[in-house]
Amino acid sequence: MSRDVDVAVIGGGLLGLATARALLRARPDLSVTVLEKEAHWGAHQSGHNSNVIHSGLYYAPGSLKARLARAGGEEMIRYCEQHEVPVKRTGKLVVATSTSQLPGLDALAERGRANGVTVQRLSRAEFAEREPHVAGVAALSVADTAMTDFAQVCRALAAELTVLGAQLRTRSPALSFTATADRTVIHTPGEELRARTLVNCAGLHSDKIATAAGDRPTVRIMPFRGEYAEIRPGRRGLVNNPVYPVPDPELPFLGVHITPMLDGSVHVGPNAVPALARQGYRWRDVDPRMVAELLRDPALRGLTRRFWRHGVTEISRSLIWPLFVRDVRRLVPEIESKDMRRHGSGVRAQAVTADGRLVDDFVISRTPRAVHVLNAPSPAATSSLRIGSRIAADVFEQLGHEDSARTVREESAAA
Ligand SMILES: Cc1cc2nc3c(=O)[nH]c(=O)nc-3n(C[C@H](O)[C@H](O)[C@H](O)COP(=O)(O)OP(=O)(O)OC[C@H]3O[C@@H](n4cnc5c(N)ncnc54)[C@H](O)[C@@H]3O)c2cc1C
């Protein structure tokens, strides 16, 4: 069966769903189909993350991440409130555990202020009032942080899309692409979609989809797994609200943090280890083809040259439980090995350049008939509604709906 559509969105995570929503809210007359290869929405990154609505503290001023996180976080909080998705403004602490980390803490405070985030420096005595079991020499208090459940946000978006008239297809992988004079034909097991515009929000597979659709992405995805532990029920009171370490400025990861979830559980993590498959949630998930490709890729050599020390530390901490416990004890000295157990993981779709640099900012590329999201790591869940509006504006321009593009950009800026 073959069907003509205005827009085909590949990927039913937060970004694909948010993009379809922004398109249909602005132009209900468009035909929009979302293709998701799994049986449910948010099956990968969007359903396996820390559930933190970030404040915009960490990101280089002026970057897409910085611009989209601050306002995107507020928009996400409002969305949750309006759609009965649990959400709570918890605030968080970033804690320096030694005096050598104080310059890093101060640099972070400065960066946060440059991004419009309200941060407050706390002495040890001050933060001990809030978190008596947390050790450290000083902390930043960041009020504009909230907790939610992004898997539920995905379900709310899918429900809204049904009402807006989107065609939603789960268990529908985009398998291959052909081009006609004015359309991209997407071949799926059940049907052939002839789309005027293609939106690629395929997360861990986004570089492959971009290449298959005829683009030449300048970055490739390397999967980095983030593993979590959970604190046993009797010891959950050791931390009241999210507590983060001072991050390593060389890496686009935030460090192992302790995060009380809205369901009462308390998660510790994620670390960042190379995954051996795009959906490599465990060490034993190995995709020999991906590994062989990676070993031939000069990007891996560049990455190894730059980050081998970090890599050895992270892999050791993943495989040797006492090392993981030791790191958590730097923040919460009272915690013991028996107080925690391993508890699942998520896999980050992290873009890497050809010479092996980890790409920090979001990357969204445009060709005449497609928009490809090539790097959307954290805080893309926080910013997903805003990123969706941005992609929708690009799509409207491609379709020649300049007015809708302008309206979406203006509404997004005013929201
Ligand atoms: C461990 C971890 C912790 C994180 N913590 C946070 C956090 O606290 N706060 C925050 O803001 N961000 C966080 N993030 C980042 C956030 O989860 C992601 O940025 C966001 O979910 C990206 O959404 P997405 O839609 O781009 O990707 P995904 O959710 O991965 O969606 C991509 C979808 O595309 C589908 N797909 C792939 N190929 C095909 C195909 N051929 N055909 C059809 N469908 C296809 C996949 O099945 C998948 O469902 C975290 C990420 C991880 C991994």
Side-chain angles (χ1 to χ4, degrees):
M1 198 178 81
S2 177
R3 200 156 54 85
D4 282 2
V5 293
D6 292 313
V7 186
V9 178
I10 300 179
L14 285 162
L15 294 199
L17 296 168
T19 301
R21 171 181 184 259
L23 287 166
L24 284 167
R25 273 162 56 98
R27 288 201 65 120
D29 58 315
L30 281 188
S31 53
V32 177
T33 295
V34 183
L35 297 172
E36 167 53 52
K37 69 182 170 63
E38 305 292 351
H40 64 275
W41 309 106
H44 292 292
Q45 296 176 94
S46 299
H48 292 88
N49 58 52
S50 301
N51 288 317
V52 179
I53 301 182
H54 287 294
S55 61
L57 175 71
Y58 297 97
Y59 318 113
S63 64
L64 267 182
K65 276 189 179 177
R67 281 185 280 148
L68 298 175
R70 184 79 191 86
E74 286 303 316
E75 196 176 354
M76 180 56 75
I77 290 172
R78 277 197 305 279
Y79 185 86
C80 293
E81 286 166 350
Q82 287 161 6
H83 292 81
E84 293 175 14
V85 174
V87 65
K88 185 178 167 199
R89 287 182 196 267
T90 56
K92 77 172 189 181
L93 290 183
V94 181
V95 178
T97 52
S98 68
T99 49
S100 65
Q101 292 181 348
L102 290 176
L105 193 73
D106 290 335
L108 198 60
E110 211 170 293
R111 186 169 261 207
R113 289 188 190 108
N115 290 336
V117 179
T118 310
V119 289
Q120 191 191 354
R121 178 82 130 75
L122 301 181
S123 67
R124 176 171 168 66
E126 285 167 330
F127 80 72
E129 280 174 27
R130 293 193 209 173
E131 297 288 356
H133 304 284
V134 172
V137 292
L140 291 184
S141 165
V142 186
D144 304 315
T145 299
M147 295 300 302
T148 186
D149 178 343
F150 284 120
Q152 283 200 50
V153 175
C154 288
R155 292 196 285 276
L157 285 167
E160 202 187 350
L161 281 170
T162 306
V163 176
L164 286 167
Q167 301 287 316
L168 299 180
R169 302 275 190 269
T170 49
R171 294 192 176 91
S172 296
L175 298 174
S176 60
F177 304 84
T178 45
T180 67
D182 59 350
R183 293 194 178 246
T184 302
V185 185
I186 302 147
H187 304 272
T188 78
E191 62 182 347
E192 219 176 69
L193 289 181
R194 296 161 40 82
R196 290 172 66 198
T197 286
L198 168 74
V199 179
N200 165 12
C201 296
L204 288 153
H205 302 266
S206 56
D207 56 342
K208 291 281 175 203
I209 293 288
T211 307
D215 192 14
R216 287 179 156 192
T218 53
V219 293
R220 56 153 302 150
I221 294 293
M222 283 205 190
F224 281 89
R225 184 171 56 251
E227 298 161 330
Y228 291 92
E230 188 187 29
I231 298 185
R232 290 183 193 280
R235 300 291 273 164
R236 286 175 180 168
L238 286 172
V239 166
N240 298 313
N241 284 309
V243 175
Y244 283 65
V246 177
D248 182 332
E250 276 190 45
L251 298 173
F253 310 125
L254 304 184
V256 167
H257 43 271
I258 306 174
T259 322
M261 297 285 142
L262 293 182
D263 65 1
S265 60
V266 179
H267 293 184
V268 185
N271 59 5
V273 292
L276 302 177
R278 285 180 190 248
Q279 292 168 200
Y281 289 95
R282 301 162 302 181
W283 277 112
R284 63 175 179 275
D285 297 330
V286 181
D287 173 357
R289 214 161 121 188
M290 188 204 85
V291 174
E293 254 176 44
L294 207 60
L295 290 174
R296 285 196 302 271
D297 192 335
L300 181 67
R301 286 194 287 281
L303 199 65
T304 311
R305 219 176 22 252
R306 280 191 190 87
F307 296 111
W308 68 269
R309 271 201 190 84
H310 293 288
V312 170
T313 309
E314 287 284 348
I315 292 169
S316 313
R317 195 171 56 173
S318 162
L319 295 173
I320 306 169
W321 176 249
L323 294 183
F324 183 82
V325 177
R326 187 196 62 188
D327 275 7
V328 182
R329 283 170 63 100
R330 289 204 175 106
L331 279 173
V332 183
E334 285 170 54
I335 209 157
E336 293 178 34
S337 173
K338 63 179 168 45
D339 296 331
M340 291 185 287
R341 57 160 183 234
R342 292 185 192 273
H343 185 72
S345 65
V347 185
R348 304 173 181 88
Q350 173 63 49
V352 176
T353 59
D355 63 349
R357 286 170 207 278
L358 296 168
V359 180
D360 193 34
D361 208 359
F362 298 146
V363 178
I364 301 172
S365 90
R366 246 175 95 159
T367 62
R369 290 211 308 253
V371 179
H372 300 287
V373 178
L374 297 170
N375 196 41
S378 184
T382 299
S383 317
S384 50
L385 298 171
R386 188 117 322 195
I387 299 174
S389 297
R390 195 193 149 95
I391 298 171
D394 284 352
V395 169
F396 285 135
E397 279 167 9
Q398 287 172 331
L399 294 175
H401 300 313
E402 305 293 342
D403 286 357
S404 302
R406 222 177 0 261
T407 308
V408 171
R409 287 195 207 284
E410 281 166 9
E411 280 178 5
S412 179

